[in-house]
Structures are given as structure tokens and as C-alpha cells.
Amino acid sequence: MAKWDLLFKDAIIFDGTGEPPQRGDLAVTDGRVAARGEDLDASMAERVVDAAGKWLMPGLLDIHTHYDLEVELEPSLPESVRHGTTTVVMSNCSLGLAFGAQRNGGADPIVDCFARVENMPKHILEKAASVAEDWDDSEGYLRHLDELPLGPNVVPLIPHSMLRIEVMGLEDSIARDPTERELDEMCALVEKGMKEGYAGFSTDALPFHYLANDPNRRSKIPTQYGTYKELKALTDVVREYEAVWQATPPKDSPPQTLRNFLLSSGRLHGKPLRITAVAAMDVRTNRMLGALGRVLTRILNSRIVDGNFRLQALAAPFKVWSEGPVTPLAEEIPELRRLNEPDLEDREARMRVLDDPEWRAQFRKMWFSGKRGFGLARLKRWLRIEDHTLTRNLEDMVIETCPVKEWNGATMQEVYQRLMSYQNGDVEARSQAERETFDSFGAAPPDDADFFLGLLRQFDLDLYWYTYAANLDEGPRRDLLMDPQMLPGFSDSGAHITNMAFYDVNLRALQIAQKESLDQVAYTVRRLTREPADFFGLDAGRIDRGATADLTLVDPDKLRGYDSESNIENVYREVFEHNQLVNRSEGVVPMVVIGGKLAVDGGELTDALGQVKMGRALRNRRVELPAPKTFRAAAE
């Protein structure tokens, strides 16, 4: 009779400690790692996997996702699992389902908060919100997650926007500060969540995250209205339970950013607070940001400050697609934000904005700021420092698809130059669609601002284009990713479903390390497994004997030849009734085991994935009740 369910033979084993790999065998039974060594007896295993030449490692972690909605519709979360990810942290950026649907008085907070911040179609959100009617508190949410046939392990956080709505109601949460009694209640709910095992608490201070329903389309999500007093009171609770505060910086206010993140300081606040923040990237429009992030991290983690602070680093080029004007990058720019306010289906509303002379004048002023004349704006432009991350250079905007098929794959600058040649009579239109579009500009040559607006007006959402906003150069990207005071993260998996595709981001990190040495791969495996697991206090990221058998097998030869940028696909997903950008890394990950069960076999998702329970709703294993204390907003 077989003693083991599964036996990996002759694998190159990375154990997640960062130590060099060892060649050997590993056995799994009853969902746990049962044995590890050399020449384990194959006759004792029900199934033997020839892993010669393959890398075997703990299942990989993705610490910044927005899977709260998708897990309700397809709990297998296949787009992460197929790339070797076995644990995902969700409820980031103050948004989540910990308190249920929270529908009250006609408000639909899940739809209102998620739709624009995470670029999710409302019909998808409404389906998830309907499921969330089944619970109304953080304990009920954990019970609900425990009952789902999860693919990967999921790690929910207590989300600040939803916490404010729970205590104050949606309208008041975006209109005023909480009363002392309401703040006490928020602290009590955070403490309740920490006692239940939530791994942390999430907020958001990026100043361009807005609500999506009337009458609040020009109001920011509730977390944006929290004061420092409120923030300190809530994070004091998180600190006591050694949980994590996931944050984003108020990027337009460096003093406020420093003040907020100094909450990590053990020197100032008794003991360090674990903070992970979005994000350290090599931004094309401001090459100083990556360096400044590293300096800030070192200050906060210094002996003088005694913090525990980790910026998240993305292992991939930050490639962002746009459907006409609809893109997460546009929300940062007030003029383009106006085009993001209407629902996706409301083309007429966008056309009214585009036809408004006052708005067009404002747009042109923004577009040419720093491009013309002299002064501080011009100097900042010369130094490659801008106030937002969306490029205004047509040569950096690439058309993926549009009704003029001949333009697919061309930069907008190339199309602009072709329009100039057409108007000068130097070239003929290549199709009726191109002729009609060129003729719509009239006889007078437009400048690049009017050309861009003309394309938006002509095609609206059918103009599907992309730009690289950050991390284009591998050298700076690698330095941020491998910095021991950063954490690999910020995939945004489960959000921006037609704008981004970073589901394979952990493989991209391994690929960068593979170019250097096996020792660097071992270090990177640790950073994708044990380090984030320990930071969040999770039972994950290990392959010690007796550990839960979450395992990823990687083919290093296939990884070496993997071209992620060429393997991004736009597919229709039945569960969403909508298209989604996804990654396909066929052959790179031949096998994934979650909770001892096969989730990927032979590079294919198994039939059991999504049908049987594999993953768990993970709790903070560090939770021990602190000394009795009443948490109050004591700091101004």
C-alpha cells in the first residue's frame, strides 16, 4: 500500500530559506510534506513525478491583488495558479468584502468603490455584491471563505473604505470626520478583525481614486477622507496585533507621506508597525521616484527610526492598456478624469465632454504644459520630472487595435505623421476607414493635442492602445526588485482586467534572477515565498517536513526562453461575460500543488481545480491577545 500520495524525484529543490538548492526527492501525503531526502523509495508513492532538471520550490505568494470579487465568481483563481502562485493577499487599497454587500438606502458601495479605482465593469461587480449579501461582518466573511472551493490560499485584510462605510454610512463617510464614538467603533471593528486572524488593514491615499455612482462621481473613496488622528488610532490596533498595514502614499504631499509612514517607527510609537506600501518603480516621467523610494525605506528602517517598512516592487515593465480615454493612468489627470466619470456604456456623456470648448482649452493647457516656452515646468520636463505618470508623447503610445486595421501595432506618432503626409497630398489612404478618419480632421493640420482628441472622439473605447509607464529598463527594475528592504509585489491581479496583465509577475522575477546565478534564484525564491509569508504572519512559503504542501515546479529551460510580453492575450472569460488581459506561460510551470492536491498537471489546469477545496483562508499566525487596552484616537 502506498505511503505517499506524490513523490517528486531528482528535483532541484529551493526550500525558501535562500540557501543554495539541493538535488533530491520530496514526498507529499495527506496535504503535507511527508519526507525529503535522496533516493526516497518510489514504490512507496501512489504517483512518482520525474522532476530531473526542474526547480521545486514552495508555492509563490502574490501580496497585492484585488481578487475579492473574482473569488466569489470563480474561487479557483486560475489566472494566478497557472503561473505557480498558491497564496494571494487581497482587500488591498482599502477595498474589500469583509463587511458584506453593505447595501443600504439605495447605496451599492462595492460597485461604487471598485468600478473606477480597479477599472471593473459594473455588471461584474454587481454579481459579486449579490453574493456578499450572505454575511455582514468580518467573522462571517472568514467563514464564507472557509467554505469556498478555493484554488490558492487567500489572505483578506480589513479594508478602510468599507470600515468607514460600515460605521458612518456611505454619504457621511465622504462628507465629514467620524465622531469620537464612531472612531471608537472603527477601532473596535479593526480589533475584532485582528482577533479573528486578519493579516492586516488596508488604506489608500493616492489622490485620484474616485467613486463611480451618482451622485458621488466627483467624490473620492471613503479612505481618502480619513485624518491622521483616525489613521493613527486604527494602525495602533494593527501594531498591537503585529499585523500589517498596507498603504499607498499621498503622493502630492511629501510631508504627509513622511508623517504617515513614520507610524512604522518603534522609536516614536513603542514598537515597529509593519507597513507595506505601493510602490517602488522606475517611472518614465519621473526617474527620481525609484531612488527616493529606496532612500525613504532606509530612513524608516534605520536604527534611529526603528521601523519595519517595505515598498512593493514590480518585476515587470509597467505596461498599461487604455480603451480610448479609459485607463487607470487617466484618473490622475483632472482633464482626462472627466472622461472616466461616465459609465463605460455612456459614450454620449464622453462626447459631450470632448465637444465642450472650455474643457478642450483646459486639456490643451495640460497637454502642452512644459512642452512649450520656458520656466519651471519646462525645466521639470527637461529633467524628466512630471506631475503624473501618463505620457504625453505620441511616440510612446502604441495602438493595439482600432477600426483602422492598418494602424494596429503603430505608434500614434507614426499615424500622426501619416496624417500630415495625407493632408499634404504625399500619400493616399490605404483603406476607406483610414480615408474617413483622416478626412474627419479637415484640411488644416492639427497639432498633437487635437490629433489625440480627434482619435478619442472618432473611436472612443474602440481605440485600444498601450504605453509603458514605468520599469522599462531591466537594470533599475532589477535593483528595486532585489533590494532586501523592498518586497516583490503590486501585480494588481484581479483588477484592471482590460488594462494590465501581471499574473505571471513571479515568473518574471525568477527569470531576472536566472540570468545571474542559481544563488540569485535561491535568494529570489525566498523573496517570493518565505519573506512575504513571514511579513504577513502566514502559514505559507515553506517546504519543511510537516508543512502544508503548497508547491510549484518550474522548468528552467522553458523559463529562460519565456517572453512574457509576447504572451499577453485578450480573452473572453465566461465568468465575467467580458474580455480580460491574461498571461500564458505554457510549459514554464508543469505542476502546481496546493494543499497536497494537483492544481496544475502537465502544464494544464486540473479538473479538480475549482471543484474541490485546495487552498485556505489564511490567518495571521502571530495573533496573541495583547494586554487589555481600550483603543482610542489618542494622537493628534
Side-chain angles (χ1 to χ4, degrees):
M1 182 176 178
K3 179 179 178 181
W4 300 316
D5 299 326
L6 193 63
L7 176 63
F8 291 91
K9 291 289 291 182
D10 202 27
I12 301 170
I13 300 176
F14 295 87
D15 63 6
T17 65
E19 293 298 314
Q22 296 181 342
R23 192 176 300 274
D25 305 340
L26 186 142
V28 173
T29 195
D30 295 332
R32 303 238 169 222
V33 175
R36 179 181 162 191
E38 296 182 6
D39 299 321
L40 297 182
D41 187 354
S43 68
M44 298 175 64
E46 183 174 332
R47 177 173 174 184
V48 177
V49 177
D50 180 4
K54 306 292 193 303
W55 296 347
L56 183 63
M57 61 190 69
L60 308 174
L61 277 75
D62 187 344
I63 65 169
H64 192 108
T65 81
H66 294 278
Y67 270 136
D68 312 70
L69 305 163
E70 185 173 339
V71 78
E72 299 303 327
L73 306 178
E74 191 165 27
S76 59
L77 302 181
E79 298 309 324
S80 283
V81 170
R82 68 172 77 247
H83 306 293
T85 296
T86 63
T87 299
V88 300
V89 179
M90 56 190 196
S91 315
N92 287 284
C93 300
S94 86
L95 307 180
L97 306 186
F99 304 106
Q102 298 181 288
R103 287 171 167 164
N104 186 34
D108 200 345
I110 291 173
V111 175
D112 217 347
C113 289
F114 274 89
R116 282 173 66 186
V117 176
E118 306 304 340
N119 292 93
M120 298 285 287
K122 287 185 176 180
H123 74 270
I124 300 174
L125 301 173
E126 288 164 356
K127 289 170 65 176
S130 295
V131 176
E133 298 278 9
D134 293 343
W135 66 92
D136 60 10
D137 72 344
S138 54
E139 183 180 11
Y141 184 44
L142 288 177
R143 285 198 305 268
H144 166 74
L145 291 173
D146 286 337
E147 294 168 357
L148 292 178
L150 295 172
N153 306 305
V154 298
V155 184
L157 307 175
I158 297 292
H160 186 213
S161 281
M162 275 52 198
L163 176 69
R164 276 188 137 241
I165 293 168
E166 185 69 10
V167 173
M168 302 172 67
L170 177 60
E171 293 301 324
D172 280 356
S173 76
I174 59 174
R176 62 174 176 81
D177 294 339
T179 64
E180 289 297 314
R181 181 176 179 179
E182 287 169 335
L183 186 53
D184 285 344
E185 186 177 350
M186 280 194 273
C187 289
L189 286 176
V190 172
E191 183 175 20
K192 177 176 180 291
M194 297 304 101
K195 287 180 178 179
E196 291 160 355
Y198 278 77
F201 168 71
S202 73
T203 64
D204 172 61
L206 291 177
F208 44 82
H209 285 162
Y210 284 77
L211 295 171
N213 287 341
D214 292 328
N216 299 316
R217 293 176 194 258
R218 296 191 180 179
S219 297
K220 297 177 183 179
I221 58 176
T223 185
Q224 301 275 343
Y225 298 91
T227 63
Y228 179 79
K229 172 183 175 179
E230 178 180 333
L231 193 61
K232 184 181 185 305
L234 297 171
T235 56
D236 275 349
V237 183
V238 178
R239 185 193 314 273
E240 287 298 319
Y241 285 84
E242 297 187 48
V244 173
W245 172 28
Q246 183 276 320
T248 60
K251 77 173 194 66
D252 294 338
S253 175
Q256 187 180 351
T257 296
L258 181 60
R259 185 189 192 194
N260 287 358
F261 289 159
L262 277 171
L263 288 170
S264 182
S265 172
R267 189 79 60 188
L268 295 174
H269 303 290
K271 68 177 179 180
L273 168 66
R274 297 168 189 265
I275 302 178
T276 176
V278 174
M281 289 195 287
D282 179 35
V283 180
R284 293 184 71 175
T285 56
N286 192 339
R287 305 304 291 267
M288 295 176 60
L289 288 180
L292 290 173
R294 297 178 77 177
V295 170
L296 174 65
T297 300
R298 276 155 177 74
I299 291 173
L300 294 174
N301 292 332
S302 67
R303 290 184 179 180
I304 296 174
V305 177
D306 187 29
N308 194 347
F309 181 83
R310 300 289 185 273
L311 279 171
Q312 297 173 16
L314 181 67
F318 192 49
K319 185 177 184 180
V320 182
W321 278 261
S322 304
E323 295 165 291
V326 179
T327 167
L329 300 181
E331 293 279 6
E332 191 176 0
I333 305 170
E335 294 77 15
L336 286 175
R337 189 184 307 139
R338 287 279 305 280
L339 293 171
N340 277 235
E341 287 175 8
D343 291 344
L344 290 174
E345 302 80 10
D346 195 353
R347 176 171 181 165
E348 289 185 5
R350 287 189 290 276
M351 293 304 108
R352 286 195 295 271
V353 174
L354 287 166
D355 290 340
D356 179 356
E358 183 178 352
W359 178 87
R360 291 178 70 90
Q362 293 170 349
F363 175 87
R364 290 176 58 79
K365 182 179 179 180
M366 176 278 297
W367 183 272
F368 289 115
S369 175
K371 284 186 171 186
R372 295 175 173 175
F374 299 94
L376 179 60
R378 182 73 169 179
L379 176 62
K380 289 172 68 177
R381 180 77 175 163
W382 182 74
L383 292 172
R384 300 191 73 179
I385 302 173
E386 294 192 48
D387 296 327
H388 47 72
T389 55
L390 181 64
T391 179
R392 292 171 289 160
N393 292 327
L394 296 180
E395 61 189 14
D396 295 332
M397 303 175 176
V398 182
I399 298 171
E400 179 97 349
T401 60
C402 79
V404 182
K405 307 300 183 186
E406 294 81 6
W407 298 354
N408 295 349
T411 67
M412 290 193 191
Q413 180 66 28
E414 291 169 337
V415 175
Y416 179 54
Q417 290 173 338
R418 182 167 177 78
L419 169 62
M420 299 295 101
S421 297
Y422 174 82
Q423 290 180 325
N424 289 334
D426 297 332
V427 299
E428 294 288 333
R430 292 172 293 187
S431 66
Q432 182 65 21
E434 185 176 61
R435 179 178 297 106
E436 291 175 356
T437 304
F438 281 167
D439 288 346
S440 71
F441 286 95
D447 56 28
D448 55 351
D450 281 339
F451 171 73
F452 182 65
L453 290 178
L455 292 185
L456 296 183
R457 200 187 192 297
Q458 187 77 8
F459 300 127
D460 193 42
L461 305 185
D462 292 333
L463 178 66
Y464 195 48
W465 58 280
Y466 66 83
T467 187
Y468 288 95
N471 279 9
L472 191 57
D473 299 329
E474 185 171 302
R477 182 183 356 133
R478 181 261 178 218
D479 292 344
L480 289 170
L481 179 68
M482 301 301 176
D483 189 319
Q485 297 196 47
M486 306 284 178
L487 277 178
F490 192 48
S491 74
D492 263 354
S493 296
H496 307 292
I497 63 173
T498 57
N499 306 116
M500 302 179 189
F502 301 125
Y503 299 94
D504 65 345
V505 69
N506 288 328
L507 297 182
R508 299 196 202 194
L510 291 172
Q511 190 179 54
I512 291 171
Q514 184 184 34
K515 295 176 182 178
E516 300 181 28
S517 67
L518 277 182
D519 285 346
Q520 191 65 29
V521 173
Y523 170 71
T524 304
V525 170
R526 187 185 83 192
R527 290 179 55 70
L528 298 173
T529 59
R530 189 167 298 210
E531 278 189 32
D534 287 348
F535 192 80
F536 281 88
L538 306 175
D539 177 20
R542 286 164 166 73
I543 54 174
D544 306 323
R545 185 172 180 178
T548 301
D550 296 336
L551 306 167
T552 294
L553 191 67
V554 173
D555 184 328
D557 293 331
K558 294 289 181 62
L559 178 66
R560 187 175 292 107
Y562 176 51
D563 181 1
S564 177
E565 294 296 296
S566 298
N567 285 278
I568 299 173
E569 299 180 10
N570 198 328
V571 304
Y572 184 80
R573 287 193 65 188
E574 292 286 348
V575 67
F576 291 155
E577 298 177 345
H578 200 277
N579 274 30
Q580 180 181 13
L581 284 175
V582 298
N583 307 99
R584 290 293 177 263
S585 56
E586 278 82 356
V588 178
V589 181
M591 186 169 284
V592 177
V593 177
I594 305 176
K597 300 178 177 66
L598 284 172
V600 175
D601 191 5
E604 301 292 333
L605 301 175
T606 64
D607 292 339
L609 183 65
Q611 300 301 312
V612 301
K613 186 175 179 60
M614 297 184 178
R616 301 160 290 153
L618 296 182
R619 274 71 161 177
N620 180 2
R621 68 168 184 250
R622 285 190 294 266
V623 168
E624 294 182 7
L625 298 186
K629 178 176 180 179
T630 300
F631 289 104
R632 296 252 331 146
E636 297 292 338

